[in-house]
Amino acid sequence: MGDSQVGCADGEAIWALHRALEDAKDVVALTGAGISAESGIPVFRGPGGLWRTYSPLQLASPEAFERDPRLVWEWYDWRRQLSRKAKPNAGHIALAQLERKIIDGGARSFTLVSQNVDGLHDRAGSRNVLKLHGDLWFTRCTACGEVKRNDQTPLPELPPKCKCGGLLRPNVVWFGEPLPQDAWTQAVEATCRARVFLVIGTSATVFPAAGLAHEARQAKAKVAVINTEATELDSTAAWVLRGPAGEILPRLL
Ligand code: BV8
Ligand code: ZN
């Protein structure tokens, strides 16, 4: 271990990170599927990550959609229904409160960068969520390109069609697809400014999103990893808080 403080979310590490968050001018939080786990939404990797017999890697790709749009939409429709029933948990809510606390403190910034597409950060009250991998609640037409909000759960027909007759796809980023330029640029800019960079509920295995944590460290930010399991960022993090985000994040406020 480097000089990380591995606290099983012990008071000392929590207190040190709380103080750092009080002092830092610019803060970034990068979240992954783990922050929605306590809301009942399965994570991508590990035991709960399967849907029927498929792993997300087999379904979250343009090739899978090309091959079987109906199957891919069945997966997304299932996730939309799950996300609709899910409620933001204490971890989502704590991040929204931390954003307000930092921004209302004046002349400081808090940027929430999420890999999640479930919409729970928005529902928790986070005001500026950079969605690196898109949003389940929007469709994009493969013919005319129209992007539209769609809250129907379940969807009345699978795969859904555009009024132009084109096939609709979920407006999310699949493997092999580029991230939305605007969100990515803002995420990189915020990361380069960050003095504290929180990495919450992500296995840090999907790039380029996971690369932000490395960028932050290079830019001399102090990185804090909040996760129920070990990640490859732990060895170079300033703090490693082992435990559920829903329990740890409220203690940082
Ligand atoms: C791209 C959206 C290029 C859809 C997803 C190097 C550089 C660039 C690219 C690559 C590269 N190496 C490889 C690549 C290709 C690829 C990639 O990274 N592959 C991986 C598998 C190696 N990357 C891409 O394809 C990206 N595109 O690079 O394009 C390009 C450029 C120009 C032009 C053309 C192309 C696109 C990647 C985006 C893929 N889309 N999702 C959808 O959601 O359906 S990725 C998917 O994984 C989700 O977004 C998810 O968020 C993300 C990361 O997973 P995690 O969130 O970390 O979830 P995971 O289950 O892994 O981990 C959960 C963690 O939570 C665990 O650590 C667990 O311990 C913890 N946890 C659990 N419970 C709790 C908890 N923690 C706290 N509290 C709890 N209660
Ligand atoms: Zn269309």
Side-chain angles (χ1 to χ4, degrees):
M1 262 319 176
D3 56 354
S4 326
Q5 294 178 12
V6 185
C8 279
D10 69 6
E12 208 181 303
I14 294 258
W15 175 244
L17 179 51
H18 165 83
R19 293 290 308 276
L21 287 168
E22 297 269 302
D23 300 343
K25 186 170 172 312
D26 298 297
V27 175
V28 170
L30 170 68
T31 62
I35 196 166
S36 295
E38 291 157 86
S39 296
I41 298 184
V43 295
F44 279 78
R45 290 158 189 83
L50 285 183
W51 173 74
R52 293 189 194 160
T53 57
Y54 302 95
S55 88
L57 275 159
Q58 289 169 295
L59 295 170
S61 76
E63 296 73 20
F65 187 72
E66 181 80 28
R67 204 173 34 249
D68 190 343
R70 183 184 168 82
L71 175 72
V72 172
W73 265 115
E74 284 174 1
W75 180 46
Y76 279 96
D77 196 41
W78 173 74
R79 288 174 66 196
R80 287 162 56 102
Q81 294 181 58
L82 216 52
S83 303
R84 163 71 69 254
K85 283 193 208 97
K87 291 204 174 18
N89 62 58
H92 295 107
I93 293 164
L95 282 182
Q97 290 168 339
L98 183 61
E99 175 190 61
R100 266 196 296 286
K101 188 175 163 192
I102 289 179
I103 292 182
D104 295 352
R108 301 172 68 201
S109 76
F110 177 87
T111 306
L112 175 54
V113 181
S114 190
Q115 301 172 87
N116 299 345
V117 297
D118 56 32
L120 289 181
H121 283 306
D122 301 311
R123 287 171 54 197
S126 288
R127 288 180 289 207
N128 169 28
V129 186
L130 298 181
K131 296 173 183 161
L132 295 187
H133 293 162
D135 189 328
L136 265 185
W137 298 107
F138 286 80
T139 60
R140 185 166 85 235
C141 178
T142 56
C144 71
E146 187 191 39
V147 174
K148 222 168 140 193
R149 173 129 198 149
N150 176 320
D151 284 294
Q152 291 173 301
T153 50
L155 284 161
E157 69 156 336
L158 294 179
K161 299 273 182 351
C162 175
K163 57 183 179 312
C164 81
L167 191 55
L168 294 179
R169 59 165 281 176
N171 197 36
V172 298
V173 178
W174 282 328
F175 287 103
E177 294 186 323
L179 275 54
Q181 193 53 48
D182 189 30
W184 178 246
T185 308
Q186 290 183 62
V188 171
E189 279 165 3
T191 298
C192 294
R193 280 198 317 269
R195 290 301 87 217
V196 172
F197 189 95
L198 305 174
V199 186
I200 306 162
T202 180
S203 59
T205 51
V206 172
F207 289 80
L212 291 172
H214 302 279
E215 293 285 320
R217 197 162 47 81
Q218 252 120 46
K220 303 279 176 272
K222 296 190 90 171
V223 175
V225 179
I226 295 163
N227 200 310
T228 44
E229 290 162 19
T231 76
E232 58 99 19
L233 299 175
D234 293 2
S235 55
T236 53
W239 302 281
V240 175
L241 301 179
R242 182 73 68 247
E247 182 218 292
I248 293 173
L249 289 173
R251 293 169 62 193
L252 293 176
L253 290 174

